Amino acid sequence: MFNYHVHNHSRIAEYLCYAFVLLFVYAAVSKLLDFNSFQNQLGQSPLLSAYAVWVAWAIPLSEILIAVALVVPQWRWFGLHAFFTMMFMFTAYIVIILNFSDFIPCSCGGVLEKLGWTEHLIFNIIFILLSGIAIFLVSNLEPTKKILLKLFLLAIMAITVVTTLFLSSEKQIKRNNAFIRKYIPHPITEIGRYNLKYNSYYIAGIDNKTIYLGNYTAPLSMDNFRHLS
């Protein structure tokens, strides 16, 4: 009976691992296929602007490495703990975004690009719980208190890493006056379009309501356009 339950628990943990692999591989591939967009989204982040370049590489590569560890039976124990930690880092990031940032940027693309930040948060919590269950199933010989303490310490570590990145990024941008600028949080909005027909025009002046255009082929004349607002 004992062997049956152990085997059954191992099967459930294995199926959960496959779900985690699918999630991380799809998420990593989505980021890498649209890497410029993903990096720009990190650049818009009020938490990670100073580290957008290397974080944009670190996240998908870490997801792939964790997925590989989950597939290999000898590395599965490490992979589950790494998956739990990574998901907790993502969750801590969302909590800080929603509660402590100056503005809420567009959510990152990939597997959850259609979801808002709150839906992301719920999704992440579900997978944190599932990964915690999987860790219990593969650590059935360890005392429950020891497993809970281990998960608690991993959660604290994940929160500490994300919080440190946030504070460090803010310090570099605001306090150190470094030449690091956040990407604009929202896309440019078109307010007007004009067909000039010729490429000899240039902007000669502008005020609150009017754009003045000069023309190289007619230097003594000037056209003006009322721009939309």
Side-chain angles (χ1 to χ4, degrees):
M1 181 67 68
F2 175 78
N3 289 335
Y4 170 77
H5 285 301
V6 170
H7 179 74
N8 195 36
H9 290 172
S10 178
R11 278 289 185 187
I12 295 173
E14 187 176 0
Y15 294 147
L16 289 173
C17 286
Y18 291 150
F20 303 154
V21 169
L22 180 63
L23 173 65
F24 266 17
V25 168
Y26 185 82
V29 171
S30 298
K31 294 180 180 74
L32 293 174
L33 288 179
D34 196 10
F35 184 77
N36 288 336
S37 176
F38 175 59
Q39 185 172 326
N40 289 341
Q41 288 166 344
L42 289 178
Q44 296 171 7
S45 168
L47 273 69
L48 302 174
S49 298
Y51 307 110
V53 175
W54 70 264
V55 171
W57 284 106
I59 291 177
L61 292 178
S62 297
E63 289 172 336
I64 292 173
L65 290 175
I66 292 172
V68 171
L70 289 170
V71 171
V72 179
Q74 293 85 349
W75 299 348
R76 187 163 293 159
W77 184 91
F78 170 79
L80 282 171
H81 289 75
F83 181 89
F84 176 89
T85 305
M86 181 73 79
M87 291 303 298
F88 224 103
M89 289 176 67
F90 292 157
T91 304
Y93 173 81
I94 294 174
V95 170
I96 294 175
I97 283 285
L98 293 178
N99 294 281
F100 302 103
S101 65
D102 297 332
F103 64 91
I104 300 177
C106 300
S107 58
C108 293
V111 66
L112 300 177
E113 62 181 344
K114 301 301 181 182
L115 299 182
W117 285 106
T118 302
E119 290 78 9
H120 271 81
L121 181 61
I122 295 172
F123 183 91
N124 286 359
I125 291 173
I126 291 173
F127 272 85
I128 286 174
L129 295 175
L130 290 175
S131 59
I133 292 172
I135 289 173
F136 269 96
L137 294 178
V138 300
S139 307
N140 55 78
L141 298 180
E142 292 186 43
T144 300
K145 289 184 179 180
K146 183 178 179 181
I147 299 174
L148 289 174
L149 176 61
K150 181 170 53 180
L151 295 180
F152 175 76
L153 293 176
L154 289 175
I156 293 298
M157 183 183 71
I159 294 171
T160 301
V161 170
V162 175
T163 304
T164 302
L165 285 174
F166 169 52
L167 296 177
S168 177
S169 179
E170 288 294 289
K171 181 180 179 181
Q172 288 198 48
I173 293 174
K174 294 181 178 179
R175 298 182 185 177
N176 294 345
N177 197 27
F179 195 68
I180 300 172
R181 296 295 179 263
K182 295 178 181 178
Y183 291 45
I184 56 174
H186 304 292
I188 297 174
T189 303
E190 182 180 304
I191 61 174
R193 179 178 297 188
Y194 309 95
N195 184 4
L196 300 178
K197 297 183 181 179
Y198 304 102
N199 62 3
S200 54
Y201 283 102
Y202 61 91
I203 296 178
I206 187 170
D207 60 24
N208 291 335
K209 294 291 183 181
T210 307
I211 299 174
Y212 299 94
L213 301 178
N215 194 312
Y216 292 111
T217 60
L220 299 181
S221 65
M222 181 176 292
D223 297 318
N224 62 80
F225 293 89
R226 302 281 291 183
H227 60 85
L228 302 177
S229 59

